[in-house]
Amino acid sequence: DARLGSAAALKERTNTSDLLEPDLYSKKCPPGTYVSNTSSKCSPCKRGEYTEYPNDLPNCLPCHTCREDQVELSPCIATRNTQCACRNGTFCSPDHPCEMCQKCRARCPKDQVEIAPCTPHSDLRCGPPTDTSSSSGVSTVAVVVSILVVVVVIVLGVCLWKQCFSHRAAGEGGERSSKPGSVVNRLVLRLTRCCWGGMGMRDNDRNKQIEQEQGLLPAARGSGLEVGHSLGGCCWTFSFQQTSPVSSNPTAEARKKLVPVPGEDPVVLLRRSFDIFARSVPLKDWKRFGRALDLLENDIDQAELYNKLLGEPIFQVLNVWLNRQGTNASINTLLGTLSRIELSGVAGDIASKLVQEGYFQYEVS
């Protein structure tokens, strides 16, 4: 009773004349084999050929040969294609087809420093010196602090002037008004009372906000800037509140993320969703989708060969991505990637279909 086996079991069977039977559930042969036309069993790939995933291909895929501007990282085996990379000093961006390795920049411009060195997948990265950015940030903070100090001094000066003026206007002359210590003491006392009053005003504002959130009071409409002051005009309380629009749909935010329906295997549900992705993602965008999922050019080439044989490149791209991610694979990563490559409408349609099919549901916070 031969079933889908491991690579080690396959290697052991290849040394004999026995052939593997296709998996009873998926009807597919294990990696390193293909479905033989003569016996309908799984025959091992020949030298120079491979199959990396469970398949029902009539032939193994030919191994990729590295170009002259590339180096071979690992040779082709029956269960894995040849792994190639650009030579030292050259790179090939994973966001574009790697038709030719480009030469890395030798050095950064005079007014920039090196942030990251050249790699087979990215050029030399340069940016402004960190000292310049930090000094700019320090100078900005210094300016802000200076402005705040000036404002505080002006407010205290106005309060002191009003205090002295009120004493003169009330006829408080002579010894009482001529002593600066008594004036300062009275000013400190008034400022203390003012601050406690400001705290009370802030407490009242907070209580109003809670009542508005509970629907007991109508929400205030305005620019979100509230200015209050205590009696006497000596203490000012500025309250800046960032108002955000209230959605008419209370579950609008919760619907942005999908979770598997309870009682089902998340991996099985994720594999089932691949059919909806294959029918919804435009065929002209499948390569961009694969590169946005951080697949290698070898993976893209392999998916293109599958496309010529079976016409299902997106299935191959998603299977490679799922095998690479393992337990970290998430349906929200796929939908977010579509939005990132300007296919937000497609992502929304797929999310709705997944919910309608009963595979996933919107997360409720």
Side-chain angles (χ1 to χ4, degrees):
D1 185 15
R3 296 289 182 89
L4 184 65
S6 62
L10 172 63
K11 183 176 181 181
E12 182 179 351
R13 293 175 183 268
T14 305
N15 294 332
T16 67
S17 59
D18 296 335
L19 297 179
L20 292 174
E21 293 284 350
D23 180 63
L24 295 179
Y25 176 75
S26 65
K27 304 300 182 183
K28 293 185 178 182
C29 291
T33 64
Y34 68 98
V35 180
S36 175
N37 292 329
T38 58
S39 62
S40 297
K41 294 185 177 181
C42 301
S43 299
C45 294
K46 300 178 183 178
R47 183 179 298 275
E49 297 178 345
Y50 77 100
T51 55
E52 192 169 352
Y53 304 101
N55 67 91
D56 53 3
L57 297 175
N59 296 290
C60 292
L61 302 174
C63 292
H64 179 71
T65 303
C66 298
R67 300 192 308 267
E68 293 183 358
D69 58 348
Q70 294 178 322
V71 293
E72 183 179 294
L73 299 181
S74 60
C76 179
I77 58 177
T79 57
R80 189 188 63 221
N81 194 10
T82 310
Q83 303 295 312
C84 304
C86 291
R87 295 181 181 275
N88 291 337
T90 61
F91 76 98
C92 194
S93 175
D95 297 332
H96 304 285
C98 187
E99 299 177 355
M100 181 180 65
C101 294
Q102 303 178 15
K103 188 176 181 180
C104 296
R105 290 186 293 178
R107 61 182 64 87
C108 294
K110 294 181 178 179
D111 57 342
Q112 295 183 348
V113 296
E114 179 180 330
I115 298 178
C118 172
T119 68
H121 304 291
S122 62
D123 193 6
L124 175 69
R125 293 177 54 192
C126 304
T130 55
D131 295 340
T132 302
S133 59
S134 60
S135 61
S136 175
V138 171
S139 60
T140 303
V141 173
V143 171
V144 173
V145 172
S146 301
I147 294 176
L148 292 177
V149 170
V150 171
V151 171
V152 172
V153 171
I154 293 176
V155 171
L156 290 178
V158 171
C159 290
L160 182 61
W161 176 80
K162 284 189 176 184
Q163 181 74 12
C164 296
F165 180 78
S166 62
H167 287 172
R168 292 195 182 109
E172 296 180 2
E175 182 178 356
R176 181 178 180 181
S177 62
S178 61
K179 293 182 179 180
S182 60
V183 175
V184 173
N185 292 335
R186 288 192 294 273
L187 176 59
V188 172
L189 178 61
R190 179 168 293 189
L191 289 175
T192 304
R193 292 175 180 175
C194 173
C195 291
W196 282 105
M199 292 177 63
M201 292 176 63
R202 288 193 293 271
D203 291 338
N204 293 336
D205 292 340
R206 178 55 183 165
N207 293 333
K208 290 181 180 179
Q209 181 181 358
I210 295 175
E211 292 176 352
Q212 290 174 0
E213 292 176 353
Q214 295 176 351
L216 301 178
L217 291 177
R221 299 180 179 271
S223 61
L225 171 64
E226 298 179 359
V227 182
H229 62 87
S230 66
L231 297 176
C234 292
C235 185
W236 292 81
T237 302
F238 295 90
S239 176
F240 296 92
Q241 296 181 355
Q242 181 67 31
T243 60
S244 58
V246 179
S247 173
S248 59
N249 186 359
T251 61
E253 293 296 328
R255 291 181 179 176
K256 288 184 178 180
K257 192 172 183 180
L258 295 180
V259 294
V261 295
E264 295 287 344
D265 187 351
V267 177
V268 173
L269 295 178
L270 189 58
R271 288 188 182 275
R272 290 178 184 173
S273 70
F274 290 174
D275 180 64
I276 297 178
F277 277 87
R279 288 186 280 110
S280 303
V281 176
L283 190 59
K284 63 181 180 64
D285 295 316
W286 74 267
K287 288 188 178 181
R288 281 201 310 135
F289 187 32
R291 294 189 180 99
L293 291 172
D294 296 329
L295 298 188
L296 301 177
E297 284 302 317
N298 289 338
D299 301 326
I300 302 297
D301 294 340
Q302 180 176 341
E304 194 165 13
L305 290 176
Y306 271 84
N307 182 31
K308 294 178 181 179
L309 295 173
L310 302 176
E312 298 178 342
I314 295 181
F315 268 108
Q316 175 65 11
V317 166
L318 295 177
N319 279 325
V320 173
W321 171 81
L322 179 59
N323 290 330
R324 294 271 173 84
Q325 295 295 320
T327 57
N328 295 326
S330 169
I331 190 68
N332 297 291
T333 301
L334 298 178
L335 298 176
T337 301
L338 288 175
S339 300
R340 184 157 48 89
I341 61 176
E342 301 179 354
L343 293 177
S344 301
V346 176
D349 293 341
I350 293 176
S352 300
K353 293 177 182 177
L354 292 175
V355 174
Q356 293 174 2
E357 292 291 338
Y359 298 160
F360 293 87
Q361 63 187 15
Y362 293 110
E363 183 182 44
V364 179
S365 57

